[in-house]
Amino acid sequence: MKINQRWYAVAHLLLVSVVAMLLGSCGPPHPDHPVIGAKNFTEQVVLGELLAQHIEAKTGMKVERRFYLAGSYICNQALISGRIDAYVEYTGTALTAILKQPVNRDPEAVLKTVRDLYQQRYQIAVTGPLGFENTFAMIIRGEDAARLHLETLSQSAQYTPQWRLGVGYEFQERPDGLRGLSAAYDLHFKEPPATMDLGLLYRALNSHQVDMIAGNSTDGPIAAFGMKVLADDKHYFPPYQAVPLVRDAALRRWPAMRGALNDLQDKVTADDMRAMNEAVDGEHRDPAVVVREFRQKKGL
């Protein structure tokens, strides 16, 4: 009997130890330095590196990088749980995908809603926009834009009946995609759109297989190939401003972070982002070097 009691006591102690270890492993780490996260595509890595480098430069703190965290949901969960302290999100994505709010095409209203709800729900601050959006973009060849004096989508409507359109699969199907855009601008094309992988769109436009494509506003090939993004002058697409999200707890712990993040407000244009994306994707350069050069150019 005593042996059984002793065995149960040992077993209980072992079980408590294992549970404690498991709970500890599930809890967020608490390093003595900020942790910056990023999603798993080039632009996000560049922006994560921008935040990390600038915080290091302005505060003297070491900054840990945790990039390639898959999509918005994973980054949001990492932020809420304290596994990362900040990352860059896009306001339209935050509004609809994370906060589950209806689409709103007013940039200031979206930014206010996102700010208010992140603070109320998660105690997360949305700092000043970096200065650019990454949204769908209707793109034509630069020489065509110059020849026809085109700046906006409204101006292009008179020419699209002679044009062929190239789109990605998602753009053709989603509610804020092709069907609504065509109705908003009264766009009609020479033939049904050519649907292809996103990576092929720019090649098709360059080789005159199509005359307009639906890309993303900060794609690297836009600058590399001298293409023209037509302005969405009717504001059909929702706003997708790039904004740093940062935990209130991190700002209390490292208050100098706030000033560093505020420094970056309105410092990155769409052209800047396209150039950095192309430098990494098209020229295969190190994102850290690309960001360092950008910061030097901007006097940051």
Side-chain angles (χ1 to χ4, degrees), residues 23-89:
L23 288 175
S25 68
C26 292
H30 297 284
D32 294 325
H33 50 263
V35 180
I36 302 299
K39 303 181 203 181
N40 59 344
F41 57 93
T42 295
E43 178 167 301
Q44 277 281 300
V45 173
V46 169
L47 293 175
E49 184 64 30
L50 176 61
L51 265 58
Q53 280 193 24
H54 197 62
I55 291 169
E56 287 176 334
K58 292 299 178 179
T59 70
M61 292 189 292
K62 170 190 174 185
V63 174
E64 183 177 342
R65 290 137 171 92
R66 289 187 188 166
F67 298 165
Y68 302 101
L69 293 177
S72 295
Y73 177 78
I74 297 298
C75 279
N76 187 58
Q77 290 303 307
L79 191 62
I80 292 170
S81 69
R83 291 186 174 277
I84 62 174
D85 294 301
Y87 83 101
V88 175
E89 189 52 272

Side-chain angles (χ1 to χ4, degrees), residues 146-217:
R147 176 171 53 85
L148 300 172
H149 307 288
L150 294 181
E151 294 289 337
T152 69
L153 273 169
S154 291
Q155 293 170 345
S156 75
Q158 62 181 305
Y159 299 104
T160 56
Q162 289 81 49
W163 288 358
R164 292 158 297 177
L165 176 67
V167 300
Y169 303 105
E170 183 180 353
F171 186 75
Q172 189 164 13
E173 300 299 329
R174 60 186 284 170
D176 57 346
L178 179 59
R179 187 176 304 168
L181 180 78
S182 298
Y185 285 98
D186 194 26
L187 300 179
H188 303 277
F189 292 90
K190 184 176 181 180
E191 56 193 43
T195 308
M196 63 190 78
D197 290 334
L198 294 177
L200 299 176
L201 287 172
Y202 291 95
R203 190 182 305 172
L205 185 59
N206 247 352
S207 62
H208 291 253
Q209 297 174 42
V210 297
D211 305 290
M212 176 187 278
I213 61 172
N216 293 304
S217 58

Side-chain angles (χ1 to χ4, degrees), residues 192-263:
T195 308
M196 63 190 78
D197 290 334
L198 294 177
L200 299 176
L201 287 172
Y202 291 95
R203 190 182 305 172
L205 185 59
N206 247 352
S207 62
H208 291 253
Q209 297 174 42
V210 297
D211 305 290
M212 176 187 278
I213 61 172
N216 293 304
S217 58
T218 55
D219 287 341
I222 296 172
F225 297 134
M227 294 175 177
K228 176 71 174 179
V229 175
L230 295 175
D232 178 16
D233 52 306
K234 293 186 178 180
H235 306 290
Y236 169 76
F237 294 119
Y240 287 92
Q241 296 184 80
V243 291
L245 308 182
V246 56
R247 298 168 60 239
D248 285 353
L251 292 175
R252 289 193 298 270
R253 189 175 183 187
W254 304 292
M257 280 181 67
R258 187 184 296 274
L261 293 174
N262 287 342
D263 280 350

Side-chain angles (χ1 to χ4, degrees), residues 85-150:
D85 294 301
Y87 83 101
V88 175
E89 189 52 272
Y90 306 95
T91 53
T93 301
L95 184 77
T96 58
I98 296 173
L99 300 171
K100 308 300 183 186
Q101 300 299 298
V103 171
N104 186 328
R105 292 185 169 85
D106 180 341
E108 292 306 314
V110 169
L111 181 59
K112 183 180 187 308
T113 299
V114 168
R115 273 203 172 114
D116 291 347
L117 292 181
Y118 266 98
Q119 189 58 236
Q120 292 168 17
R121 295 183 185 180
Y122 307 125
Q123 292 74 58
I124 288 171
V126 179
T127 63
L130 296 177
F132 75 95
E133 293 186 36
N134 184 0
T135 185
F136 284 121
M138 305 310 293
I139 301 161
I140 62 176
R141 289 179 290 271
E143 59 265 30
D144 291 343
R147 176 171 53 85
L148 300 172
H149 307 288
L150 294 181

